[in-house]
């Protein structure tokens, strides 16, 4: 919207300069008042048309470009949102997947992974190598997801708007992920150890994990 206003004002300025220039040239030629001769006005129309037609064409081309760019941006947002929604569903399924390993005995065999994580973080059961590898792998996937979420939030911040008020969209997105996964992720980090987790993920993934999921491992 801001760019459109600027382009439109530039077009008006060009029109005004062209008109003023023509009248100044008439005045310099000895005409001190507005002509009543239709030929003079015909010449004026041709002059203005010759000046404004290219400017109008440029303005129209610019508006077409902005329209295509806006549509492409909206499409990118839509695709990113759909991908995150699918990953959200898959992550929830992972946390509800039965833990089919007898390393914790019959009591936890077949229980949802989320229940096993809760028990491990509360020291109800002792961490094993199998459980640590499983949880660390899941944390790595979540860190990759967090990186994608951070990219999506960046896209939300760049939405075309007359006001710079898009930050609240990103804040809403962060609140959703924090409310849903921050606690369980913090428990998983405590189980595998902060150093093991940070060694597993890249710097950017760790940064995204902290930004999107609260960054507090002790929740």
């Amino acid at each position: 919207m801001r760019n459109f206003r600027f382009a439109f004002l530039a077009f008006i300025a060009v029109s005004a300069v062209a008109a003023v220039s023509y009248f100044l040239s008439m005045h310099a030629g000895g005409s001190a008042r507005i002509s009543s001769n239709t030929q003079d006005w015909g010449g004026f129309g041709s002059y203005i048309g010759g000046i404004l037609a290219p400017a109008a064409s440029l303005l129209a081309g610019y508006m077409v470009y902005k329209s295509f760019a806006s549509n492409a941006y909206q499409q990118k947002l839509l695709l990113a949102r759909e991908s995150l929604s699918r990953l959200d569903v898959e992550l929830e399924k992972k946390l509800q997947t039965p833990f089919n390993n007898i390393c914790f005995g019959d009591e936890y065999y077949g229980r949802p992974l989320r229940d096993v994580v809760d028990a491990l973080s509360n020291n109800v059961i002792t961490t094993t190598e199998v459980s640590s590898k499983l949880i660390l792998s899941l944390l790595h996937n979540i860190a990759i997801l967090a990186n994608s979420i951070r990219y999506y939030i960046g896209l939300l911040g760049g939405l075309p708007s007359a006001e710079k008020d898009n930050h609240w969209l990103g804040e809403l997105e962060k609140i959703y992920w924090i409310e849903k996964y921050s606690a369980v992720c913090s428990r998983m980090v405590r189980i595998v150890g902060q150093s093991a987790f940070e060694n597993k993920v890249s710097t950017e993934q760790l940064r995204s994990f902290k930004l999107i999921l609260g960054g507090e491992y002790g929740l």
Side-chain angles (χ1 to χ4, degrees), residues 1-11 59 62-63 66 158-166:
M1 184 64 69
R2 182 179 179 182
N3 291 335
F4 171 74
R5 286 202 300 263
F6 177 78
F8 187 69
L9 289 175
F11 177 76
L59 179 62
Y62 173 76
M63 294 308 301
K66 292 298 291 183
L159 273 173
S161 174
E163 304 293 338
K164 294 297 183 181
D165 59 354
N166 294 331

Side-chain angles (χ1 to χ4, degrees), residues 123-194:
N123 295 320
V124 176
I125 52 180
T126 304
T127 304
T128 65
E129 184 179 355
V130 172
S131 62
S132 292
K133 286 183 178 180
L134 175 64
I135 292 172
L136 188 58
S137 176
L138 182 56
L139 276 173
H140 188 202
N141 291 338
I142 293 174
I144 295 173
L145 171 61
N147 212 33
S148 300
I149 297 169
R150 184 161 69 94
Y151 171 75
Y152 175 70
I153 290 175
L155 289 178
L156 289 176
L159 273 173
S161 174
E163 304 293 338
K164 294 297 183 181
D165 59 354
N166 294 331
H167 66 280
W168 65 271
L169 293 171
E171 292 300 317
L172 282 178
E173 188 70 21
K174 284 172 60 177
I175 288 171
Y176 171 80
W177 294 99
I178 288 173
E179 287 291 329
K180 191 168 185 180
Y181 295 115
S182 180
V184 67
C185 287
S186 297
R187 293 190 184 101
M188 288 192 288
V189 171
R190 288 204 305 270
I191 292 168
V192 301
Q194 182 174 336

Side-chain angles (χ1 to χ4, degrees), residues 10-159:
F11 177 76
I12 292 177
V14 170
S15 303
V17 169
V20 170
S21 299
Y22 185 83
F23 284 115
L24 286 177
S25 65
M26 288 179 60
H27 180 72
S31 177
R33 58 183 181 177
I34 297 177
S35 175
S36 59
N37 191 331
T38 56
Q39 290 184 348
D40 290 339
W41 285 105
F44 174 73
S46 299
Y47 170 77
I48 292 297
I51 295 294
L52 296 188
S57 298
L58 287 174
L59 179 62
Y62 173 76
M63 294 308 301
V64 170
Y65 162 75
K66 292 298 291 183
S67 177
F68 275 115
S70 178
N71 289 338
Y73 200 92
Q74 294 287 347
Q75 187 66 21
K76 185 186 293 186
L77 274 176
L78 180 61
L79 291 174
R81 178 69 268 172
E82 290 177 350
S83 297
L84 290 180
S85 297
R86 288 196 300 269
L87 292 172
D88 183 15
V89 172
E90 289 301 317
L91 177 55
E92 187 61 37
K93 286 181 180 178
K94 285 280 187 182
L95 292 172
Q96 297 301 326
T97 299
F99 186 76
N100 295 326
N101 193 294
I102 60 172
C103 61
F104 299 126
D106 294 337
E107 182 181 357
Y108 288 94
Y109 182 82
R111 295 275 294 274
L113 179 59
R114 188 187 289 269
D115 292 351
V116 176
V117 169
D118 290 343
L120 287 169
S121 65
N122 292 325
N123 295 320
V124 176
I125 52 180
T126 304
T127 304
T128 65
E129 184 179 355
V130 172
S131 62
S132 292
K133 286 183 178 180
L134 175 64
I135 292 172
L136 188 58
S137 176
L138 182 56
L139 276 173
H140 188 202
N141 291 338
I142 293 174
I144 295 173
L145 171 61
N147 212 33
S148 300
I149 297 169
R150 184 161 69 94
Y151 171 75
Y152 175 70
I153 290 175
L155 289 178
L156 289 176
L159 273 173

